[in-house]
Each structure stands twice: as C-alpha cells, then as structure tokens.
Amino acid sequence: MAALGWLTPRRRSATARSVLAGEASAEAARKSSQELEELAHEATPETAAEEPDFPVLGDDKAAAFFDLDNTVMQGAALFHFGRGLYKRKFFETRDLYRFAWQQAWFRLAGVEDPEHMQDARDSALSIVKGHRVSELMSIGEEIYDEYMAERIWPGTRALAEAHLDAGQKVWLVTAAPVEIATVIARRLGLTGALGTVAESVDGVYTGKLVGEPLHGPAKAEAVRALAAAEGLDLGRCAAYSDSHNDIPMLSLVGHPYAINPDTKLRKHARTLDWRLRDYRTGRKAAKVGIPAAAGVGAVAGGTAAAIALHRRRR
C-alpha cells in the first residue's frame, strides 16, 4: 500500500519521476481492473429507457476519470484509512492527532497543502512498512464499510454510473494508495483505480514509493499512460475533480468537469467554459453546459441525498 503524498502545487512540466509514478500507477490499475471487470459482468444492468446525449452510448474509445478526495468522497481517503488503522492499533494516539489535524486543515482550507500532505505521506509509509500487501487490502475492505461508505457524494456517484451505463470504463485517479483506491473502486462498481504505488518485495511493503505520489502532473501522466494502453481517445474522455491541482489531468480530456471546486478551479473552469457541479450545499453552483449525464431524476435524487447528508453532519 502506498501512502498519501503530494507535490508542491506550482506550475511545472512532468518530471521523470512523475512519468514513472504515472506509468507504475497505470500498470497497477490495469492489473486490478481485470478482477473488477469480471465481477461486474456477473450482473447485467437493465438498459435505461432513454439514453442521454452524454456520455455517448457504446463509445468504447471514451472513459471517465474521477478524482477521489472531495470529488467522489467527503474528506481524504488516507485520513479515514488512518482512523481504521488506529482502531486496529497500528500506531499510537499522537499519530491519530496528527491525522486529525491534517484532515481538519483539509476541510477548513479546502486545498491540498503540500506540507501537511508530505507529513501524512511520510507517516503512513512508516506505519505500513513491513506489513503485507494482502493484509492492508483486507483491512481496507473493513475500513471502507466503517468510515467511507457513508461519505460518498450521491451526485458524483450518479455521474460515474451514467458512464458505466453507457458502456464506458470509469477509473478513480487519486494520490491515495492504489490498494485503498482499488477497494473503493470495486465497492462502487467502477472499473479500477489509479493511485500512488508503494514499493513491495515478496508482498511486503518496503516503506518506499515507486516514483512519486500520484498528484498534479503525475495524475495526468497516469491518465495518459492508461489511455494509451487501453486505446482510448482522450478527446472523447471525461475527467472530474474538485482541485486546481488536477488542472493538468482535466486539461487532457475533451470533457472536463469541476465538481465541488475550490476557488482556483472554479475560476479556471468558468474562464474555459468547463462544466461545474457542487454537491456540498443546497445552493446549486453556477453550471456551464450541464450534461445530460446522470439523467434529470438521478441528478435531482443525488443532489437531494447529498444535501441531506450535509445537514445531518452540521
């Protein structure tokens, strides 16, 4: 399991380490998606009465890429995973306080602060060093049920399901460990996940990363590598994120969406006429070119559920 980590959010081109991280993540995602695809084929979904104009039904050259933290799920996946590990006595109380502070900063500031995220990455790497990959995957299944399932944004999930219903593959793209991301993708019925890849030898974590955390430019490299391997046309693909740090990934595709956007991404999206949606409050965000993607009923239901979830937690 790789730990969560981030790059300093500054404009720069992808480095060799970004490319390495992206390619490693794409390779891990393709391997994990095979099992998920087999599970998905066990159940045949009913065909909708009316297919939306977007996503395009049966377009096998298109796919959708979803950021995880604050786009698909409230908060940071690594924090929720840390809570679960603390419950299982993987680390001490002082480490939990550090995880809690990092999560509080994430929620209040609404941005991915590199200093806090670097600390989170280093902490998690030290925690999992020496543990088996299979052990963390099994624990991840339990932690999803305990802390993550109820934090999925219904509106964003409806968008992902619209792509699946159209016969397209849907991938999570996150700086979270690829093992955690894969668990979440499987539980949501998605194709697979691109995430930060941690080094392991004989199934045991070494405490090192392959390349760098899947963040910023590395995410774009991962999407580019996966698209090439899958034979996708990025101009027909869609990407969804809440963070300006993901502008490199969003800029790769023909259909970028700002979901629950931070201030910088909202401004950027409006300037470029990207589509926007906000599921965080009852206030509808300014929408530009809203797609038919989740269908009117699905979007309304997803938004209402998201509002109810927000109010219960206030």
Side-chain angles (χ1 to χ4, degrees):
M1 188 222 43
L4 182 60
W6 296 262
L7 301 172
T8 303
R10 61 180 183 273
R11 295 181 181 274
R12 65 173 178 82
S13 59
T15 63
R17 289 175 61 82
S18 294
V19 174
L20 176 60
E23 291 178 347
S25 181
E27 181 180 357
R30 294 195 77 210
K31 289 179 180 178
S32 65
S33 70
Q34 183 175 356
E35 180 181 349
L36 300 182
E37 187 173 356
E38 291 174 354
L39 291 173
H41 284 320
E42 292 179 3
T44 303
E46 295 181 2
T47 302
E50 292 185 10
E51 296 295 342
D53 295 330
F54 185 84
V56 179
L57 178 66
D59 185 357
D60 60 2
K61 295 296 182 182
F65 302 94
F66 283 79
D67 169 57
L68 176 57
D69 295 347
N70 249 20
T71 301
V72 171
M73 180 177 67
Q74 282 185 305
L78 183 61
F79 171 75
H80 300 311
F81 189 66
R83 292 176 65 193
L85 293 182
Y86 172 76
K87 178 181 177 181
R88 292 160 176 81
K89 303 187 184 303
F90 269 65
F91 54 88
E92 300 178 358
T93 303
R94 66 174 179 271
D95 297 303
L96 181 65
Y97 288 152
R98 183 160 63 247
F99 273 115
W101 162 243
Q102 290 155 356
Q103 174 71 353
W105 178 272
F106 182 83
R107 291 176 66 88
L108 292 174
V111 296
E112 298 170 340
D113 181 83
E115 182 178 347
H116 289 89
M117 293 178 174
Q118 177 73 28
D119 188 32
R121 184 196 75 179
D122 293 342
S123 298
L125 277 174
S126 65
I127 289 168
V128 303
K129 182 179 180 180
H131 288 276
R132 299 197 66 83
V133 175
S134 57
E135 176 189 10
L136 271 294
M137 287 288 287
S138 178
I139 291 174
E141 295 281 354
E142 299 172 3
I143 292 175
Y144 177 85
D145 290 325
E146 293 171 1
Y147 299 113
M148 300 180 184
E150 65 177 9
R151 291 177 170 81
I152 302 299
W153 291 112
T156 311
R157 185 171 188 175
L159 292 173
E161 289 174 347
H163 285 279
L164 292 171
D165 289 344
Q168 298 178 5
K169 292 184 177 181
V170 177
W171 304 83
L172 290 181
V173 188
T174 175
V178 67
E179 290 82 5
I180 296 176
T182 298
V183 168
I184 297 172
R186 185 179 65 78
R187 299 299 288 271
L188 293 177
L190 309 184
T191 306
L194 295 152
T196 300
V197 178
E199 181 183 78
S200 63
V201 177
D202 297 327
V204 178
Y205 292 114
T206 66
K208 300 178 181 179
L209 294 182
V210 177
E212 62 184 16
L214 200 72
H215 181 259
K219 276 189 179 182
E221 292 301 323
V223 169
R224 195 192 311 275
L226 184 62
E230 295 277 312
L232 301 174
D233 180 350
L234 286 171
R236 289 147 70 175
C237 292
Y240 301 77
S241 178
D242 72 295
S243 173
H244 69 279
N245 293 304
D246 287 337
I247 288 176
M249 176 182 74
L250 294 170
S251 299
L252 276 181
V253 301
H255 302 279
Y257 295 80
I259 304 295
N260 306 329
D262 62 29
T263 301
K264 290 183 180 179
L265 178 58
R266 184 182 294 276
K267 181 179 180 180
H268 188 86
R270 284 174 170 166
T271 299
L272 296 182
D273 202 31
W274 288 357
R275 298 175 176 90
L276 288 88
R277 281 215 178 117
D278 200 321
Y279 299 117
R280 291 170 295 191
T281 68
R283 174 188 57 80
K284 292 185 178 180
K287 302 183 184 71
V288 182
I290 293 299
V296 175
V299 172
T303 303
I307 295 170
L309 182 62
H310 172 77
R311 287 175 176 170
R312 286 201 300 272
R313 291 175 178 162
R314 291 184 61 183

